[in-house]
């Protein structure tokens, strides 16, 4: 079939066959389909959706459009975790070494931040010398020797997705659940893991602000993964406020290290365990959730997770002295307090606004080629439901400017102090 015939079928809400989808993806990868026809397909999909069969075939075709990493010579079940992104979401950083300390293989290919959401790779690059770009051969060797690695996309992973995503970004089709699912899962399947746990965020600071949308996305990704032979589970977690107490690249590495030393914010620890426990079970290292949880907490108590994080840093060229000397990482020149405007309880702490404020300080990107200031960021002293007195510090802003009234005003526009203490539920649902 020609691309025009494929478009007509999609427009008419007719199911596309495996051959039709594979041919289209092959031609997209080879630059044989003009952007306007790809855009037409994306818009038709946005309005008509996809059947599970179509979505599975599309995802697998995108996966096979480039390199597929082969971990068959690495012993054990390889497990991975993916988050749809949020503010202060540093879960991958403590999770990977905790699992690796239990002998579980955790290959992670992560991304950079764009807009109000932080990128795992950017946070790691706050560590002097840390290399996120390593060869596929070195990646596999590190998984064998250290047990985990967190790197940027290696080789030519899902090139069809890169072309389609660039067009989705400019054709108002980014928020299509089938297209999001295919984009995420094609890359995850190409990284050669056996099991995947998804963290799908919902709330004011999440891409899927409505829980029903988050659950729909999670369910379809779980189905795609299972169709492709992976063990799958998804967690719907809250992103109405930042996760943990620190937002910013150096600050989030500091909070990761504190957690690995046994001093974790309660919400960060809870979300990390909610994702790590099923990964332990999928790797067949425990028979029940209680045992898995105890094993994971044991890696924090005995220092083995911290040691494993140090091994990963050293293997990727980083300075392991940062484990005990945080001053080796970039830090901002000034610390500015944000006072509470009233007495009561924190009723709103908009994650999106905190992320945007951090980005405006220089800690995030509005364009992919923006340079980051690793030292800036925000440390929260109060979270949702916490009591606060008028004038008391809600947060400390690490900044290179001594005066930042515009950013303080912006933050306070998105913070409410109310008469009642209401703490959010962190885990909204589990999709198995």
């Amino acid at each position: 079939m020609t691309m025009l015939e494929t478009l007509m079928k999609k427009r008419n809400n007719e199911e596309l066959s495996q051959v039709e989808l594979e041919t289209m993806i092959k031609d997209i990868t080879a630059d044989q389909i003009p952007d306007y026809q790809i855009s037409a397909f994306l818009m038709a999909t946005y309005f008509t959706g996809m059947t599970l069969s179509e979505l599975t075939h599309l995802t697998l075709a995108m996966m096979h459009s480039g390199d597929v990493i082969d971990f068959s010579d690495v012993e054990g079940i390889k497990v991975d975790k993916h988050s749809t992104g949020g503010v202060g979401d540093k879960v991958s950083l403590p999770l990977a070494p905790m699992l690796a300390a239990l002998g579980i293989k955790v290959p992670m290919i992560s991304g950079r931040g764009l807009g109000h959401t932080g990128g795992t790779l950017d946070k790691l690059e706050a560590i002097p010398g840390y290399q996120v770009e390593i060869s596929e051969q070195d990646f596999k060797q590190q998984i064998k020797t250290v047990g985990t690695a967190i790197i940027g996309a290696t080789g030519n992973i899902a090139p069809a997705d890169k072309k389609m995503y660039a067009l989705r970004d400019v054709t108002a089709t980014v928020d299509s659940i089938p297209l999001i699912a295919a984009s995420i899962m094609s890359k995850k399947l190409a990284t050669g893991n056996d099991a995947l746990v998804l963290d799908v965020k919902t709330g004011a600071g999440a891409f899927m602000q409505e829980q029903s949308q988050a659950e729909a996305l999670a369910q379809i990704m779980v189905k795609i993964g299972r169709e492709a032979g992976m063990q799958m589970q998804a967690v719907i977690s809250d992103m109405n406020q930042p996760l943990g107490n620190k937002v910013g690249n150096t600050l989030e590495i500091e909070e990761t290290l504190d957690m690995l030393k046994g001093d974790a914010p309660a919400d960060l620890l809870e979300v990390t365990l909610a994702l790590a426990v099923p990964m332990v079970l999928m790797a067949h290292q425990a028979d029940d959730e209680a045992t898995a949880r105890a094993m994971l907490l044991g890696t924090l108590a005995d220092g083995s997770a911290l040691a494993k994080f140090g091994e990963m840093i050293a293997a990727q060229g980083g300075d392991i002295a940062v484990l005990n000397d945080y001053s080796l990482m970039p830090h901002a020149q000034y610390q500015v307090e944000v006072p509470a405007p009233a007495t009561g309880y924190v009723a709103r702490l908009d994650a999106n606004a905190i992320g945007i404020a951090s980005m405006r300080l220089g800690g995030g990107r509005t364009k992919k080629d923006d340079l980051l200031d690793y030292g800036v960021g925000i440390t929260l002293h109060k979270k949702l439901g916490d009591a606060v007195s008028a004038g008391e510090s809600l947060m400390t802003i690490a900044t290179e400017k001594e005066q930042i009234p515009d950013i303080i005003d912006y933050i306070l526009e998105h913070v409410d102090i109310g008469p009642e203490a209401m703490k959010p539920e962190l885990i909204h649902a589990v999709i198995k």
Side-chain angles (χ1 to χ4, degrees):
M1 290 183 70
T2 65
M3 185 60 184
L4 180 59
E5 291 172 300
T6 298
L7 287 173
M8 290 173 66
K9 282 188 71 174
K10 194 70 217 160
R11 180 199 66 187
N12 296 334
N13 202 17
E14 299 173 28
E15 186 174 65
L16 296 175
S17 70
Q18 179 178 351
V19 171
E20 288 164 350
L21 288 163
E22 287 177 348
T23 300
M24 180 186 74
I25 292 301
K26 180 181 177 182
D27 290 345
I28 287 173
T29 307
D31 288 327
Q32 293 179 356
I33 298 178
D35 286 355
Y36 57 81
Q37 285 191 316
I38 303 172
S39 298
F41 171 79
L42 297 172
M43 189 60 75
T45 300
Y46 182 91
F47 283 111
T48 63
M50 280 193 158
T51 66
L52 179 59
S53 176
E54 280 182 302
L55 194 45
T56 302
H57 293 318
L58 174 68
T59 303
L60 292 176
M62 290 165 65
M63 163 195 166
H64 288 293
S65 67
D67 297 340
V68 178
I69 298 175
D70 181 8
F71 277 117
S72 60
D73 61 336
V74 178
E75 292 184 8
I77 295 172
K78 277 68 69 179
V79 299
D80 194 7
K81 162 256 173 195
H82 175 81
S83 171
T84 55
V87 180
D89 181 7
K90 59 196 73 68
V91 169
S92 292
L93 299 173
L95 177 144
M98 288 168 71
L99 291 164
L102 296 175
I104 298 169
K105 305 299 185 187
V106 192
M108 282 193 172
I109 295 180
S110 295
R112 298 191 180 279
L114 186 61
H116 76 279
T117 60
T120 300
L121 300 182
D122 300 320
K123 296 164 192 176
L124 286 166
E125 285 183 333
I127 299 171
Y130 192 97
Q131 299 297 313
V132 299
E133 307 295 340
I134 65 176
S135 70
E136 183 177 324
Q137 182 179 353
D138 289 343
F139 181 41
K140 290 172 69 174
Q141 184 60 33
Q142 187 172 324
I143 298 304
K144 290 179 181 178
T145 56
V146 177
T148 189
I150 303 178
I151 68 168
T154 175
N156 188 33
I157 298 289
D161 174 64
K162 293 175 187 174
K163 295 187 178 186
M164 292 171 70
Y165 191 91
L167 290 172
R168 284 169 58 205
D169 203 28
V170 295
T171 56
T173 56
V174 168
D175 56 340
S176 161
I177 285 178
L179 295 176
I180 295 169
S183 175
I184 291 172
M185 293 304 298
S186 64
K187 289 176 284 193
K188 286 300 175 183
L189 291 169
T191 55
N193 286 291
D194 305 304
L196 176 64
V197 175
L198 299 163
D199 181 11
V200 182
K201 302 291 187 186
T202 187
F207 188 69
M208 294 291 177
Q209 295 191 358
E210 298 296 325
Q211 185 175 332
S212 59
Q213 289 181 309
E215 289 188 14
L217 175 60
Q219 287 167 349
I220 200 67
M221 288 194 290
V222 166
K223 288 178 181 177
I224 292 171
R226 289 214 174 114
E227 287 283 316
M230 289 183 82
Q231 295 184 74
M232 294 290 303
Q233 184 167 313
V235 171
I236 311 298
S237 69
D238 190 78
M239 190 39 69
N240 281 299
Q241 64 177 339
L243 186 60
N245 297 331
K246 294 188 175 185
V247 177
N249 297 298
T250 289
L251 292 176
E252 293 190 49
I253 294 294
E254 289 180 355
E255 190 161 61
T256 295
L257 291 168
D258 288 344
M259 176 170 169
L260 292 172
K261 295 172 184 177
D263 182 19
D267 60 344
L268 177 59
L269 180 60
E270 183 177 338
V271 173
T272 301
L273 290 172
L275 298 165
V277 164
M279 297 172 80
V280 174
L281 298 177
M282 289 173 171
H284 302 159
Q285 296 301 303
D287 295 327
D288 58 78
E289 292 185 1
T291 302
R293 183 183 178 93
M295 291 168 64
L296 289 161
L297 290 172
T299 69
L300 301 179
D302 66 14
S304 58
L306 178 65
K308 188 60 71 172
F309 192 59
E311 286 182 48
M312 183 183 78
I313 291 171
Q316 292 182 234
D319 185 353
I320 63 170
V322 299
L323 268 62
N324 297 305
D325 186 356
Y326 298 175
S327 70
L328 295 171
M329 293 182 285
H331 286 82
Q333 186 175 357
Y334 298 103
Q335 305 288 315
V336 178
E337 304 302 323
V338 179
T343 296
Y345 299 91
V346 180
R348 180 170 70 123
L349 186 61
D350 191 297
N352 186 59
I354 299 298
I356 290 173
S358 180
M359 178 186 71
R360 287 171 59 180
L361 290 166
R365 298 182 181 84
T366 56
K367 304 187 299 295
K368 287 187 178 181
D369 56 353
D370 284 350
L371 296 177
L372 296 181
D373 185 334
Y374 293 99
V376 301
I378 299 169
T379 299
L380 303 172
H381 306 308
K382 302 290 182 180
K383 302 288 288 284
L384 288 174
D386 288 348
V388 63
S389 299
E392 186 179 2
S393 180
L394 288 171
M395 61 193 78
T396 301
I397 300 177
T399 172
E400 292 299 336
K401 296 180 180 179
E402 191 171 6
Q403 302 292 329
I404 46 170
D406 55 330
I407 291 179
I408 292 175
D409 289 345
Y410 175 76
I411 289 173
L412 289 176
E413 287 172 7
H414 295 85
V415 173
D416 291 337
I417 308 300
E420 295 180 304
M422 295 182 64
K423 290 189 178 289
E425 189 175 11
L426 279 172
I427 306 300
H428 294 283
V430 176
I431 310 295
K432 295 184 178 181

